[in-house]
Amino acid sequence: MATKLSQEELLEQFESLTLIELSEFVKAFEEKFDVTAAAAVAAAPAGPAAAVEAAEEQDEFDVILTGAGDKKIQVIKVVRELTSLGLKEAKDLVDGAPKPVVEKVAKEAAEKAAEALKGAGASVEVK
């Protein structure tokens, strides 16, 4: 029989996961328990002010690969590091640009992914 982990032990385990692994865990958790991990949103006032407010409070970002640049092989390597894709899938993603590399991640993770891709010579866009 498995031992029950304390909340602190669970948090330590989650700290050691990559963002991709954590994202996959959340998806599996949602499917297994038929729940959604999204935070509840309070009713916002309608109109242009609400749209501006929502844009300012964006907490999920997508990193879009817009071009591979001259160092295509380096870009493919970075795409593989950022995702769980195999070599062929990563190559197809890079060849099919513009395509999203990582989706619905925190701002810090999106910025790190974008910097890694730019460092490899790719052109990217964070939305």
Side-chain angles (χ1 to χ4, degrees), residues 15-55:
E15 278 182 334
S16 67
L17 297 176
T18 64
L19 286 175
I20 300 297
E21 292 170 332
L22 189 56
S23 174
E24 290 170 354
F25 169 78
V26 170
K27 288 177 187 173
F29 187 90
E30 289 175 339
E31 288 175 12
K32 173 135 178 116
F33 296 104
D34 194 29
V35 294
T36 303
V41 178
V52 170
E53 233 176 83

PDB file of all heavy atoms in Angstrom, residues 15-55:
ATOM      1  N   GLU A  15       8.025  20.724  -7.623  1.00  0.00           N
ATOM      2  CA  GLU A  15       9.127  21.638  -7.919  1.00  0.00           C
ATOM      3  C   GLU A  15      10.140  21.005  -8.860  1.00  0.00           C
ATOM      4  O   GLU A  15      10.763  21.698  -9.653  1.00  0.00           O
ATOM      5  CB  GLU A  15       9.846  22.049  -6.628  1.00  0.00           C
ATOM      6  CG  GLU A  15       9.176  23.155  -5.887  1.00  0.00           C
ATOM      7  CD  GLU A  15       9.962  23.550  -4.647  1.00  0.00           C
ATOM      8  OE1 GLU A  15      10.702  22.717  -4.088  1.00  0.00           O
ATOM      9  OE2 GLU A  15       9.828  24.698  -4.235  1.00  0.00           O
ATOM     10  N   SER A  16      10.308  19.698  -8.784  1.00  0.00           N
ATOM     11  CA  SER A  16      11.318  19.026  -9.599  1.00  0.00           C
ATOM     12  C   SER A  16      10.840  18.761 -11.027  1.00  0.00           C
ATOM     13  O   SER A  16      11.626  18.382 -11.877  1.00  0.00           O
ATOM     14  CB  SER A  16      11.737  17.704  -8.937  1.00  0.00           C
ATOM     15  OG  SER A  16      10.648  16.797  -8.951  1.00  0.00           O
ATOM     16  N   LEU A  17       9.548  18.983 -11.315  1.00  0.00           N
ATOM     17  CA  LEU A  17       9.009  18.735 -12.651  1.00  0.00           C
ATOM     18  C   LEU A  17       9.284  19.909 -13.588  1.00  0.00           C
ATOM     19  O   LEU A  17       9.349  21.054 -13.161  1.00  0.00           O
ATOM     20  CB  LEU A  17       7.485  18.519 -12.586  1.00  0.00           C
ATOM     21  CG  LEU A  17       6.975  17.313 -11.807  1.00  0.00           C
ATOM     22  CD1 LEU A  17       5.452  17.317 -11.778  1.00  0.00           C
ATOM     23  CD2 LEU A  17       7.468  16.027 -12.426  1.00  0.00           C
ATOM     24  N   THR A  18       9.424  19.606 -14.869  1.00  0.00           N
ATOM     25  CA  THR A  18       9.516  20.669 -15.867  1.00  0.00           C
ATOM     26  C   THR A  18       8.110  21.207 -16.114  1.00  0.00           C
ATOM     27  O   THR A  18       7.125  20.588 -15.705  1.00  0.00           O
ATOM     28  CB  THR A  18      10.082  20.148 -17.202  1.00  0.00           C
ATOM     29  OG1 THR A  18       9.154  19.190 -17.748  1.00  0.00           O
ATOM     30  CG2 THR A  18      11.443  19.499 -17.009  1.00  0.00           C
ATOM     31  N   LEU A  19       8.012  22.319 -16.794  1.00  0.00           N
ATOM     32  CA  LEU A  19       6.701  22.892 -17.088  1.00  0.00           C
ATOM     33  C   LEU A  19       5.868  21.951 -17.946  1.00  0.00           C
ATOM     34  O   LEU A  19       4.664  21.822 -17.753  1.00  0.00           O
ATOM     35  CB  LEU A  19       6.852  24.237 -17.797  1.00  0.00           C
ATOM     36  CG  LEU A  19       7.306  25.382 -16.919  1.00  0.00           C
ATOM     37  CD1 LEU A  19       7.547  26.631 -17.751  1.00  0.00           C
ATOM     38  CD2 LEU A  19       6.306  25.674 -15.835  1.00  0.00           C
ATOM     39  N   ILE A  20       6.504  21.291 -18.881  1.00  0.00           N
ATOM     40  CA  ILE A  20       5.785  20.360 -19.754  1.00  0.00           C
ATOM     41  C   ILE A  20       5.257  19.191 -18.933  1.00  0.00           C
ATOM     42  O   ILE A  20       4.091  18.797 -19.079  1.00  0.00           O
ATOM     43  CB  ILE A  20       6.709  19.845 -20.885  1.00  0.00           C
ATOM     44  CG1 ILE A  20       7.231  21.005 -21.741  1.00  0.00           C
ATOM     45  CG2 ILE A  20       6.016  18.800 -21.728  1.00  0.00           C
ATOM     46  CD1 ILE A  20       6.166  21.774 -22.476  1.00  0.00           C
ATOM     47  N   GLU A  21       6.088  18.633 -18.057  1.00  0.00           N
ATOM     48  CA  GLU A  21       5.654  17.513 -17.213  1.00  0.00           C
ATOM     49  C   GLU A  21       4.506  17.936 -16.300  1.00  0.00           C
ATOM     50  O   GLU A  21       3.543  17.194 -16.116  1.00  0.00           O
ATOM     51  CB  GLU A  21       6.821  16.987 -16.376  1.00  0.00           C
ATOM     52  CG  GLU A  21       7.903  16.304 -17.187  1.00  0.00           C
ATOM     53  CD  GLU A  21       9.152  16.018 -16.383  1.00  0.00           C
ATOM     54  OE1 GLU A  21       9.444  16.749 -15.410  1.00  0.00           O
ATOM     55  OE2 GLU A  21       9.855  15.061 -16.731  1.00  0.00           O
ATOM     56  N   LEU A  22       4.616  19.128 -15.745  1.00  0.00           N
ATOM     57  CA  LEU A  22       3.567  19.629 -14.860  1.00  0.00           C
ATOM     58  C   LEU A  22       2.266  19.849 -15.630  1.00  0.00           C
ATOM     59  O   LEU A  22       1.185  19.509 -15.154  1.00  0.00           O
ATOM     60  CB  LEU A  22       4.016  20.926 -14.185  1.00  0.00           C
ATOM     61  CG  LEU A  22       3.123  21.458 -13.071  1.00  0.00           C
ATOM     62  CD1 LEU A  22       2.915  20.409 -11.989  1.00  0.00           C
ATOM     63  CD2 LEU A  22       3.718  22.707 -12.470  1.00  0.00           C
ATOM     64  N   SER A  23       2.379  20.383 -16.844  1.00  0.00           N
ATOM     65  CA  SER A  23       1.201  20.585 -17.683  1.00  0.00           C
ATOM     66  C   SER A  23       0.524  19.252 -18.001  1.00  0.00           C
ATOM     67  O   SER A  23      -0.695  19.132 -17.945  1.00  0.00           O
ATOM     68  CB  SER A  23       1.604  21.294 -18.971  1.00  0.00           C
ATOM     69  OG  SER A  23       0.513  21.365 -19.843  1.00  0.00           O
ATOM     70  N   GLU A  24       1.335  18.241 -18.321  1.00  0.00           N
ATOM     71  CA  GLU A  24       0.784  16.915 -18.613  1.00  0.00           C
ATOM     72  C   GLU A  24       0.113  16.317 -17.376  1.00  0.00           C
ATOM     73  O   GLU A  24      -0.935  15.678 -17.473  1.00  0.00           O
ATOM     74  CB  GLU A  24       1.887  15.991 -19.127  1.00  0.00           C
ATOM     75  CG  GLU A  24       2.366  16.370 -20.519  1.00  0.00           C
ATOM     76  CD  GLU A  24       3.609  15.624 -20.944  1.00  0.00           C
ATOM     77  OE1 GLU A  24       4.208  14.873 -20.135  1.00  0.00           O
ATOM     78  OE2 GLU A  24       3.997  15.793 -22.113  1.00  0.00           O
ATOM     79  N   PHE A  25       0.702  16.554 -16.198  1.00  0.00           N
ATOM     80  CA  PHE A  25       0.101  16.069 -14.960  1.00  0.00           C
ATOM     81  C   PHE A  25      -1.260  16.714 -14.729  1.00  0.00           C
ATOM     82  O   PHE A  25      -2.224  16.041 -14.380  1.00  0.00           O
ATOM     83  CB  PHE A  25       1.022  16.338 -13.761  1.00  0.00           C
ATOM     84  CG  PHE A  25       0.334  16.085 -12.442  1.00  0.00           C
ATOM     85  CD1 PHE A  25       0.163  14.794 -11.978  1.00  0.00           C
ATOM     86  CD2 PHE A  25      -0.183  17.136 -11.696  1.00  0.00           C
ATOM     87  CE1 PHE A  25      -0.500  14.558 -10.777  1.00  0.00           C
ATOM     88  CE2 PHE A  25      -0.845  16.911 -10.507  1.00  0.00           C
ATOM     89  CZ  PHE A  25      -1.001  15.608 -10.052  1.00  0.00           C
ATOM     90  N   VAL A  26      -1.339  18.032 -14.931  1.00  0.00           N
ATOM     91  CA  VAL A  26      -2.600  18.745 -14.719  1.00  0.00           C
ATOM     92  C   VAL A  26      -3.673  18.204 -15.661  1.00  0.00           C
ATOM     93  O   VAL A  26      -4.815  17.967 -15.243  1.00  0.00           O
ATOM     94  CB  VAL A  26      -2.407  20.268 -14.907  1.00  0.00           C
ATOM     95  CG1 VAL A  26      -3.741  20.995 -14.940  1.00  0.00           C
ATOM     96  CG2 VAL A  26      -1.540  20.824 -13.787  1.00  0.00           C
ATOM     97  N   LYS A  27      -3.303  17.967 -16.920  1.00  0.00           N
ATOM     98  CA  LYS A  27      -4.271  17.419 -17.880  1.00  0.00           C
ATOM     99  C   LYS A  27      -4.750  16.038 -17.431  1.00  0.00           C
ATOM    100  O   LYS A  27      -5.945  15.741 -17.473  1.00  0.00           O
ATOM    101  CB  LYS A  27      -3.651  17.323 -19.274  1.00  0.00           C
ATOM    102  CG  LYS A  27      -3.477  18.669 -19.936  1.00  0.00           C
ATOM    103  CD  LYS A  27      -2.794  18.537 -21.272  1.00  0.00           C
ATOM    104  CE  LYS A  27      -2.472  19.902 -21.849  1.00  0.00           C
ATOM    105  NZ  LYS A  27      -1.671  19.802 -23.069  1.00  0.00           N
ATOM    106  N   ALA A  28      -3.825  15.187 -17.000  1.00  0.00           N
ATOM    107  CA  ALA A  28      -4.191  13.848 -16.541  1.00  0.00           C
ATOM    108  C   ALA A  28      -5.070  13.924 -15.290  1.00  0.00           C
ATOM    109  O   ALA A  28      -6.048  13.177 -15.159  1.00  0.00           O
ATOM    110  CB  ALA A  28      -2.934  13.031 -16.257  1.00  0.00           C
ATOM    111  N   PHE A  29      -4.759  14.839 -14.384  1.00  0.00           N
ATOM    112  CA  PHE A  29      -5.539  15.029 -13.167  1.00  0.00           C
ATOM    113  C   PHE A  29      -6.957  15.465 -13.514  1.00  0.00           C
ATOM    114  O   PHE A  29      -7.935  14.952 -12.963  1.00  0.00           O
ATOM    115  CB  PHE A  29      -4.852  16.083 -12.280  1.00  0.00           C
ATOM    116  CG  PHE A  29      -5.485  16.248 -10.924  1.00  0.00           C
ATOM    117  CD1 PHE A  29      -5.061  15.480  -9.854  1.00  0.00           C
ATOM    118  CD2 PHE A  29      -6.505  17.171 -10.723  1.00  0.00           C
ATOM    119  CE1 PHE A  29      -5.646  15.633  -8.599  1.00  0.00           C
ATOM    120  CE2 PHE A  29      -7.090  17.334  -9.480  1.00  0.00           C
ATOM    121  CZ  PHE A  29      -6.664  16.554  -8.412  1.00  0.00           C
ATOM    122  N   GLU A  30      -7.061  16.429 -14.452  1.00  0.00           N
ATOM    123  CA  GLU A  30      -8.380  16.917 -14.863  1.00  0.00           C
ATOM    124  C   GLU A  30      -9.209  15.795 -15.475  1.00  0.00           C
ATOM    125  O   GLU A  30     -10.404  15.678 -15.209  1.00  0.00           O
ATOM    126  CB  GLU A  30      -8.229  18.060 -15.878  1.00  0.00           C
ATOM    127  CG  GLU A  30      -7.711  19.343 -15.272  1.00  0.00           C
ATOM    128  CD  GLU A  30      -7.448  20.428 -16.308  1.00  0.00           C
ATOM    129  OE1 GLU A  30      -7.273  20.110 -17.496  1.00  0.00           O
ATOM    130  OE2 GLU A  30      -7.430  21.590 -15.903  1.00  0.00           O
ATOM    131  N   GLU A  31      -8.575  14.963 -16.308  1.00  0.00           N
ATOM    132  CA  GLU A  31      -9.296  13.860 -16.949  1.00  0.00           C
ATOM    133  C   GLU A  31      -9.725  12.809 -15.930  1.00  0.00           C
ATOM    134  O   GLU A  31     -10.862  12.346 -15.938  1.00  0.00           O
ATOM    135  CB  GLU A  31      -8.427  13.216 -18.034  1.00  0.00           C
ATOM    136  CG  GLU A  31      -8.266  14.093 -19.257  1.00  0.00           C
ATOM    137  CD  GLU A  31      -7.299  13.504 -20.272  1.00  0.00           C
ATOM    138  OE1 GLU A  31      -6.915  12.321 -20.148  1.00  0.00           O
ATOM    139  OE2 GLU A  31      -6.927  14.240 -21.193  1.00  0.00           O
ATOM    140  N   LYS A  32      -8.824  12.442 -15.031  1.00  0.00           N
ATOM    141  CA  LYS A  32      -9.116  11.384 -14.065  1.00  0.00           C
ATOM    142  C   LYS A  32     -10.253  11.771 -13.128  1.00  0.00           C
ATOM    143  O   LYS A  32     -11.128  10.977 -12.828  1.00  0.00           O
ATOM    144  CB  LYS A  32      -7.872  11.045 -13.255  1.00  0.00           C
ATOM    145  CG  LYS A  32      -8.126  10.085 -12.115  1.00  0.00           C
ATOM    146  CD  LYS A  32      -7.100   9.028 -12.034  1.00  0.00           C
ATOM    147  CE  LYS A  32      -7.367   8.119 -10.868  1.00  0.00           C
ATOM    148  NZ  LYS A  32      -7.659   6.798 -11.258  1.00  0.00           N
ATOM    149  N   PHE A  33     -10.238  13.020 -12.640  1.00  0.00           N
ATOM    150  CA  PHE A  33     -11.218  13.444 -11.653  1.00  0.00           C
ATOM    151  C   PHE A  33     -12.330  14.304 -12.244  1.00  0.00           C
ATOM    152  O   PHE A  33     -13.162  14.824 -11.510  1.00  0.00           O
ATOM    153  CB  PHE A  33     -10.520  14.183 -10.505  1.00  0.00           C
ATOM    154  CG  PHE A  33      -9.568  13.287  -9.747  1.00  0.00           C
ATOM    155  CD1 PHE A  33      -8.202  13.394  -9.924  1.00  0.00           C
ATOM    156  CD2 PHE A  33     -10.051  12.314  -8.880  1.00  0.00           C
ATOM    157  CE1 PHE A  33      -7.323  12.562  -9.235  1.00  0.00           C
ATOM    158  CE2 PHE A  33      -9.189  11.490  -8.197  1.00  0.00           C
ATOM    159  CZ  PHE A  33      -7.822  11.605  -8.381  1.00  0.00           C
ATOM    160  N   ASP A  34     -12.323  14.458 -13.562  1.00  0.00           N
ATOM    161  CA  ASP A  34     -13.350  15.215 -14.272  1.00  0.00           C
ATOM    162  C   ASP A  34     -13.545  16.603 -13.659  1.00  0.00           C
ATOM    163  O   ASP A  34     -14.646  17.011 -13.297  1.00  0.00           O
ATOM    164  CB  ASP A  34     -14.673  14.443 -14.289  1.00  0.00           C
ATOM    165  CG  ASP A  34     -15.658  15.023 -15.298  1.00  0.00           C
ATOM    166  OD1 ASP A  34     -15.212  15.598 -16.307  1.00  0.00           O
ATOM    167  OD2 ASP A  34     -16.875  14.905 -15.068  1.00  0.00           O
ATOM    168  N   VAL A  35     -12.421  17.323 -13.514  1.00  0.00           N
ATOM    169  CA  VAL A  35     -12.433  18.674 -12.967  1.00  0.00           C
ATOM    170  C   VAL A  35     -11.652  19.594 -13.897  1.00  0.00           C
ATOM    171  O   VAL A  35     -10.966  19.142 -14.809  1.00  0.00           O
ATOM    172  CB  VAL A  35     -11.810  18.730 -11.550  1.00  0.00           C
ATOM    173  CG1 VAL A  35     -12.646  17.961 -10.560  1.00  0.00           C
ATOM    174  CG2 VAL A  35     -10.387  18.237 -11.564  1.00  0.00           C
ATOM    175  N   THR A  36     -11.734  20.895 -13.621  1.00  0.00           N
ATOM    176  CA  THR A  36     -10.965  21.881 -14.368  1.00  0.00           C
ATOM    177  C   THR A  36     -10.113  22.653 -13.381  1.00  0.00           C
ATOM    178  O   THR A  36     -10.608  23.093 -12.344  1.00  0.00           O
ATOM    179  CB  THR A  36     -11.907  22.841 -15.116  1.00  0.00           C
ATOM    180  OG1 THR A  36     -12.746  22.067 -15.964  1.00  0.00           O
ATOM    181  CG2 THR A  36     -11.127  23.832 -15.951  1.00  0.00           C
ATOM    182  N   ALA A  37      -8.831  22.846 -13.721  1.00  0.00           N
ATOM    183  CA  ALA A  37      -7.916  23.550 -12.831  1.00  0.00           C
ATOM    184  C   ALA A  37      -7.974  25.054 -13.012  1.00  0.00           C
ATOM    185  O   ALA A  37      -7.281  25.783 -12.329  1.00  0.00           O
ATOM    186  CB  ALA A  37      -6.482  23.061 -13.063  1.00  0.00           C
ATOM    187  N   ALA A  38      -8.809  25.551 -13.916  1.00  0.00           N
ATOM    188  CA  ALA A  38      -8.922  26.993 -14.147  1.00  0.00           C
ATOM    189  C   ALA A  38      -9.540  27.662 -12.921  1.00  0.00           C
ATOM    190  O   ALA A  38     -10.436  27.119 -12.289  1.00  0.00           O
ATOM    191  CB  ALA A  38      -9.776  27.257 -15.377  1.00  0.00           C
ATOM    192  N   ALA A  39      -9.049  28.847 -12.630  1.00  0.00           N
ATOM    193  CA  ALA A  39      -9.575  29.598 -11.486  1.00  0.00           C
ATOM    194  C   ALA A  39     -10.939  30.168 -11.836  1.00  0.00           C
ATOM    195  O   ALA A  39     -11.219  30.506 -12.973  1.00  0.00           O
ATOM    196  CB  ALA A  39      -8.619  30.729 -11.125  1.00  0.00           C
ATOM    197  N   ALA A  40     -11.779  30.283 -10.833  1.00  0.00           N
ATOM    198  CA  ALA A  40     -13.104  30.876 -11.039  1.00  0.00           C
ATOM    199  C   ALA A  40     -12.935  32.355 -11.348  1.00  0.00           C
ATOM    200  O   ALA A  40     -12.105  33.038 -10.762  1.00  0.00           O
ATOM    201  CB  ALA A  40     -13.953  30.691  -9.800  1.00  0.00           C
ATOM    202  N   VAL A  41     -13.717  32.855 -12.290  1.00  0.00           N
ATOM    203  CA  VAL A  41     -13.626  34.253 -12.697  1.00  0.00           C
ATOM    204  C   VAL A  41     -14.886  34.971 -12.235  1.00  0.00           C
ATOM    205  O   VAL A  41     -15.995  34.536 -12.508  1.00  0.00           O
ATOM    206  CB  VAL A  41     -13.485  34.364 -14.233  1.00  0.00           C
ATOM    207  CG1 VAL A  41     -13.428  35.815 -14.665  1.00  0.00           C
ATOM    208  CG2 VAL A  41     -12.255  33.613 -14.712  1.00  0.00           C
ATOM    209  N   ALA A  42     -14.702  36.086 -11.549  1.00  0.00           N
ATOM    210  CA  ALA A  42     -15.845  36.879 -11.088  1.00  0.00           C
ATOM    211  C   ALA A  42     -16.453  37.601 -12.282  1.00  0.00           C
ATOM    212  O   ALA A  42     -15.776  37.886 -13.258  1.00  0.00           O
ATOM    213  CB  ALA A  42     -15.391  37.882 -10.042  1.00  0.00           C
ATOM    214  N   ALA A  43     -17.723  37.894 -12.192  1.00  0.00           N
ATOM    215  CA  ALA A  43     -18.403  38.601 -13.272  1.00  0.00           C
ATOM    216  C   ALA A  43     -17.788  39.988 -13.422  1.00  0.00           C
ATOM    217  O   ALA A  43     -17.677  40.737 -12.464  1.00  0.00           O
ATOM    218  CB  ALA A  43     -19.880  38.712 -12.972  1.00  0.00           C
ATOM    219  N   ALA A  44     -17.374  40.304 -14.641  1.00  0.00           N
ATOM    220  CA  ALA A  44     -16.736  41.587 -14.910  1.00  0.00           C
ATOM    221  C   ALA A  44     -17.742  42.506 -15.590  1.00  0.00           C
ATOM    222  O   ALA A  44     -18.634  42.047 -16.288  1.00  0.00           O
ATOM    223  CB  ALA A  44     -15.525  41.383 -15.809  1.00  0.00           C
ATOM    224  N   PRO A  45     -17.595  43.814 -15.412  1.00  0.00           N
ATOM    225  CA  PRO A  45     -18.498  44.739 -16.077  1.00  0.00           C
ATOM    226  C   PRO A  45     -18.329  44.659 -17.594  1.00  0.00           C
ATOM    227  O   PRO A  45     -17.235  44.421 -18.083  1.00  0.00           O
ATOM    228  CB  PRO A  45     -18.080  46.111 -15.547  1.00  0.00           C
ATOM    229  CG  PRO A  45     -16.703  45.926 -15.023  1.00  0.00           C
ATOM    230  CD  PRO A  45     -16.600  44.486 -14.605  1.00  0.00           C
ATOM    231  N   ALA A  46     -19.399  44.851 -18.316  1.00  0.00           N
ATOM    232  CA  ALA A  46     -19.348  44.773 -19.770  1.00  0.00           C
ATOM    233  C   ALA A  46     -18.830  46.081 -20.342  1.00  0.00           C
ATOM    234  O   ALA A  46     -18.884  47.116 -19.704  1.00  0.00           O
ATOM    235  CB  ALA A  46     -20.743  44.473 -20.314  1.00  0.00           C
ATOM    236  N   GLY A  47     -18.320  46.019 -21.562  1.00  0.00           N
ATOM    237  CA  GLY A  47     -17.889  47.230 -22.254  1.00  0.00           C
ATOM    238  C   GLY A  47     -16.402  47.233 -22.525  1.00  0.00           C
ATOM    239  O   GLY A  47     -15.680  46.296 -22.187  1.00  0.00           O
ATOM    240  N   PRO A  48     -15.899  48.304 -23.133  1.00  0.00           N
ATOM    241  CA  PRO A  48     -14.492  48.385 -23.508  1.00  0.00           C
ATOM    242  C   PRO A  48     -13.556  48.329 -22.300  1.00  0.00           C
ATOM    243  O   PRO A  48     -12.467  47.787 -22.388  1.00  0.00           O
ATOM    244  CB  PRO A  48     -14.365  49.720 -24.220  1.00  0.00           C
ATOM    245  CG  PRO A  48     -15.749  50.210 -24.477  1.00  0.00           C
ATOM    246  CD  PRO A  48     -16.665  49.444 -23.591  1.00  0.00           C
ATOM    247  N   ALA A  49     -13.971  48.879 -21.183  1.00  0.00           N
ATOM    248  CA  ALA A  49     -13.121  48.859 -19.994  1.00  0.00           C
ATOM    249  C   ALA A  49     -12.862  47.430 -19.543  1.00  0.00           C
ATOM    250  O   ALA A  49     -11.762  47.093 -19.111  1.00  0.00           O
ATOM    251  CB  ALA A  49     -13.760  49.659 -18.870  1.00  0.00           C
ATOM    252  N   ALA A  50     -13.860  46.571 -19.666  1.00  0.00           N
ATOM    253  CA  ALA A  50     -13.693  45.173 -19.277  1.00  0.00           C
ATOM    254  C   ALA A  50     -12.697  44.482 -20.195  1.00  0.00           C
ATOM    255  O   ALA A  50     -11.893  43.665 -19.747  1.00  0.00           O
ATOM    256  CB  ALA A  50     -15.037  44.451 -19.318  1.00  0.00           C
ATOM    257  N   ALA A  51     -12.719  44.784 -21.477  1.00  0.00           N
ATOM    258  CA  ALA A  51     -11.789  44.177 -22.426  1.00  0.00           C
ATOM    259  C   ALA A  51     -10.360  44.612 -22.122  1.00  0.00           C
ATOM    260  O   ALA A  51      -9.434  43.806 -22.182  1.00  0.00           O
ATOM    261  CB  ALA A  51     -12.167  44.545 -23.851  1.00  0.00           C
ATOM    262  N   VAL A  52     -10.162  45.869 -21.787  1.00  0.00           N
ATOM    263  CA  VAL A  52      -8.834  46.367 -21.445  1.00  0.00           C
ATOM    264  C   VAL A  52      -8.343  45.696 -20.174  1.00  0.00           C
ATOM    265  O   VAL A  52      -7.191  45.283 -20.074  1.00  0.00           O
ATOM    266  CB  VAL A  52      -8.851  47.907 -21.287  1.00  0.00           C
ATOM    267  CG1 VAL A  52      -7.549  48.414 -20.704  1.00  0.00           C
ATOM    268  CG2 VAL A  52      -9.138  48.565 -22.629  1.00  0.00           C
ATOM    269  N   GLU A  53      -9.228  45.567 -19.184  1.00  0.00           N
ATOM    270  CA  GLU A  53      -8.874  44.917 -17.930  1.00  0.00           C
ATOM    271  C   GLU A  53      -8.453  43.470 -18.171  1.00  0.00           C
ATOM    272  O   GLU A  53      -7.470  42.988 -17.633  1.00  0.00           O
ATOM    273  CB  GLU A  53     -10.078  44.947 -16.978  1.00  0.00           C
ATOM    274  CG  GLU A  53      -9.770  45.531 -15.635  1.00  0.00           C
ATOM    275  CD  GLU A  53     -11.021  45.614 -14.788  1.00  0.00           C
ATOM    276  OE1 GLU A  53     -11.365  44.588 -14.169  1.00  0.00           O
ATOM    277  OE2 GLU A  53     -11.617  46.694 -14.741  1.00  0.00           O
ATOM    278  N   ALA A  54      -9.201  42.765 -18.988  1.00  0.00           N
ATOM    279  CA  ALA A  54      -8.898  41.376 -19.274  1.00  0.00           C
ATOM    280  C   ALA A  54      -7.553  41.250 -19.984  1.00  0.00           C
ATOM    281  O   ALA A  54      -6.783  40.331 -19.712  1.00  0.00           O
ATOM    282  CB  ALA A  54     -10.000  40.753 -20.122  1.00  0.00           C
ATOM    283  N   ALA A  55      -7.248  42.172 -20.873  1.00  0.00           N
ATOM    284  CA  ALA A  55      -5.978  42.133 -21.589  1.00  0.00           C
ATOM    285  C   ALA A  55      -4.815  42.375 -20.633  1.00  0.00           C
ATOM    286  O   ALA A  55      -3.755  41.767 -20.771  1.00  0.00           O
ATOM    287  CB  ALA A  55      -5.967  43.161 -22.709  1.00  0.00           C
TER     288      ALA A  55
END
